[in-house]
Amino acid sequence: MSDPQLSPPKEGATAAATAAAKSTSRRPSLLLIVGGLVTFVVVALALGLGLGLGLTHRGGSSASSLLPPASSSSPLPGSGAAPNASLEDWRLDPSHYVLDMAWDINAPPTTRHYDFVITEGRGWPDGVVRDMLFINGKFPGPLIEANMGDRLVINVTNKLTANATTIHWHGLYQNGTNWFDGTTGITQCGIPPGQSLVYNFTLEQFGTYWYHSHYSTQYLDGILGPLIIHAPAEADARKLYDSDRVVLIQDWYHDVSQVNLETYLAPDNENTEPIPDNGLINGIGYFNCSSYDADSGYTCYDNSTYSVLSLEPNTRTRLRFINTGAFTEFDVSVDNHTLSVIEADATLVKPVTVHRFPIHVAQRYSVVVETNQSTSTNYWLRGAMITSCFTGNNPVLDTTTKAVISYSGNSTVVPSEDASVDWTDAIPIHCIDLDASTLVPTIPDPPPAATKMWRLDFSFGIGAYQLDRAKFNGTSWSVLDNTTTLIQAVDGLAAGQAQGSSSSSSSSSASKWAVDGPVSAFGSNQFVVGLSANGSIDVVDILLYSLDEGSHPFHLHGHTFWILQTGAGPFNWTAYQTTLYPSGGAASPLTANALRRDTFTLQPYSWTLLRFVADNAGLWAFHCHIAWHLEAGLMMQFLSRPDVLARTAVPDDVRGLCTAAGGK
Ligand code: C2O
């Protein structure tokens, strides 16, 4: 173990650690752009109808639509095409993401059943046809809406031909049901093709969450959706808005994630992440087919359009933004409208007015927007990609992902450029979070004093076979085959316990697993730190140190953490020991009402001090949510409460996935 508990931080966390210059990555097939095509062609009805399932158009080989000239009477691209339901029956009706304000937040607990059938097929969210994955035949996935205290029973059936799958419920505690956390190789093996798993857990939290496949980079191909939980405690917040809806925002690639992953992980490619081709809002995006030349190999339908959010004039709407993407942080704004931030990752906060807010992968923010501007135009909702975090550029990418906010009475019209005006505030040049100190939880919940402190370092580097790997305290994660760390721990602890009781001495084999600190028993690709190993509940401080030049949205499964401090350069160890550890509980100004969330963005060569209560028995992933980085190994785990795990049985149906043929 390279970083024992309470060891002072290492010096020299400088650029030299991973200073290799990043190269520019371009796919040869994207190099040629058909430029200068300025024919303003509104998509013809005939063309729209001509897009039968077998009939494809290559970009550039047919009449292409561009954005119509800016004027208040310009129809949305694609809006001239008659809707052909059977043609796009894979598209989720966007109205499903509009929440019903009549929902009873005080209803007694109930059990809600869902069936998720995972299939593969072809879709074209932005007009470019690709292989993708669907839940119940749709993209994006269905809204799950429930009350705190409810039980969710979700039967996930894998109808893929070759790949396993899982669903992770991002942000949920799963206290007592660690095996339903959905994390491949940690809490379950993948559900093999042809098989099902019934996830069954109760909801102990409320707010804006989401779900996604946690099997390799699979969620990028379409297995994702929103999960909204209500509670009586949101009653005050509900007075701030008249309507409520979900807005998924994400980057999008025109190739399946496995292809991009192989390119990314190829030898000699030092952390050059694939640059997205487009962005989507609620699964819809506009793409100019002429960006691809005729022999690009991509099929592009000219009927792509923008997502439209139709609101009522003079009302207040809660927009629950969820970044469901792979890599890209967006800076979100609505032209001519300020936004009032009221929630960060399911923590309600005192309203903060902003022009723009940054949202990194897997984060959520709720903002209230008031439709109090002129009704003679529509307005752009803009998601500006923070492109300084890309290691190159992609010539086909429009770096501003847009949707239309409409309360003009005409939702099929593109906002006019002179009436709908972008804020002039600069887009951040770093991938950052909204300043945690400005987000004050409305329901105070100060952290208890810490009892343990761990320093975790990570970096990227070219390793064996010239493969780029991320390392957490020296260990690069890779997925276990046909077992999980949860099963290994439960079995190891149970075996040790049996041995311990028969010899009536403390068991040596159990002590391999019930460790206060790094647990080496899992093998060389699993960095696991044991917590609450001595029968009492640890309150853990994590000092997470980045030795990398990129920004990383880190997510901890099964917990919400307090963000206590962030900084660059050396950590002030002495100040920490005198003010925060172990005495600094609610009394410390740093911790008084610190923001709680489950995903935060760590800056390059910087550190963040997080605190959480290790009261949740299980194996919990802690990882960068950039899908490429996760697959490069930027994940570690906490093994919490081995005393409880020793008395725990992993349900047979979950355990059976690891021995089923085709699982992983
Ligand atoms: Cu969104 Cu490991 O999770």
Side-chain angles (χ1 to χ4, degrees), residues 168 170 210 212 214 362 555 557 623 625:
H168 166 60
H170 182 112
W210 63 300
H212 59 84
H214 214 299
H555 170 50
H557 286 219
H623 63 88
H625 215 291

Side-chain angles (χ1 to χ4, degrees), residues 74-99:
S74 304
L76 287 174
S79 62
N84 180 336
S86 68
L87 183 66
E88 301 218 337
D89 61 0
W90 55 267
R91 243 185 231 287
L92 186 79
D93 178 345
S95 70
H96 287 145
Y97 286 170
V98 178
L99 307 185

Side-chain angles (χ1 to χ4, degrees), residues 164-357:
T165 192
T166 70
I167 303 283
H168 166 60
W169 319 95
H170 182 112
L172 298 193
Y173 295 153
Q174 299 288 2
N175 197 333
T177 47
N178 182 225
W179 41 84
F180 289 137
D181 191 44
T183 323
T184 307
I186 296 178
T187 63
Q188 72 164 98
C189 292
I191 306 164
Q195 296 198 31
S196 302
L197 177 66
V198 180
Y199 292 85
N200 182 338
F201 50 87
T202 52
L203 301 172
E204 310 154 78
Q205 311 152 257
F206 69 97
T208 305
Y209 300 90
W210 63 300
Y211 61 83
H212 59 84
S213 167
H214 214 299
Y215 182 86
S216 185
T217 54
Q218 194 174 61
Y219 82 84
L220 314 190
D221 299 318
I223 306 182
L224 57 90
L227 197 170
I228 307 298
I229 309 171
H230 301 284
E234 72 181 5
D236 280 346
R238 288 171 85 84
K239 294 176 190 148
L240 301 173
Y241 50 91
D242 312 298
S243 66
D244 192 359
R245 61 171 70 203
V246 168
V247 186
L248 306 185
I249 184 166
Q250 63 176 108
D251 53 16
W252 187 244
Y253 295 82
H254 291 154
D255 298 309
V256 297
S257 66
Q258 196 58 33
V259 168
N260 279 316
L261 181 63
E262 279 163 21
T263 308
Y264 170 62
L265 294 179
D268 282 324
N269 182 4
E270 188 166 7
N271 208 15
T272 305
E273 300 89 354
I275 311 292
D277 299 309
N278 205 352
L280 305 177
I281 292 177
N282 285 342
I284 297 171
Y286 172 76
F287 186 79
N288 181 348
C289 287
S290 68
S291 305
Y292 282 132
D293 63 56
D295 57 7
S296 70
Y298 294 102
T299 296
C300 186
Y301 294 157
D302 283 323
N303 66 347
S304 68
T305 186
Y306 296 99
S307 188
V308 178
L309 284 70
S310 292
L311 309 178
E312 291 296 318
N314 295 307
T315 59
R316 302 156 306 163
T317 300
R318 176 178 185 172
L319 302 173
R320 297 172 184 254
F321 284 91
I322 309 173
N323 185 334
T324 53
F327 176 43
T328 304
E329 180 166 34
F330 289 91
D331 209 42
V332 175
S333 61
V334 175
D335 286 0
N336 306 48
H337 296 73
T338 58
L339 303 172
S340 175
V341 179
I342 62 165
E343 182 204 18
D345 293 0
T347 297
L348 289 171
V349 296
K350 295 187 180 153
V352 181
T353 301
V354 298
H355 292 164
R356 307 179 186 283
F357 67 93

Side-chain angles (χ1 to χ4, degrees), residues 404-423:
V404 174
I405 301 268
S406 176
Y407 51 96
S408 65
N410 191 345
S411 60
T412 61
V413 164
V414 168
S416 87
E417 294 297 336
D418 34 318
S420 177
V421 182
D422 193 9
W423 293 100

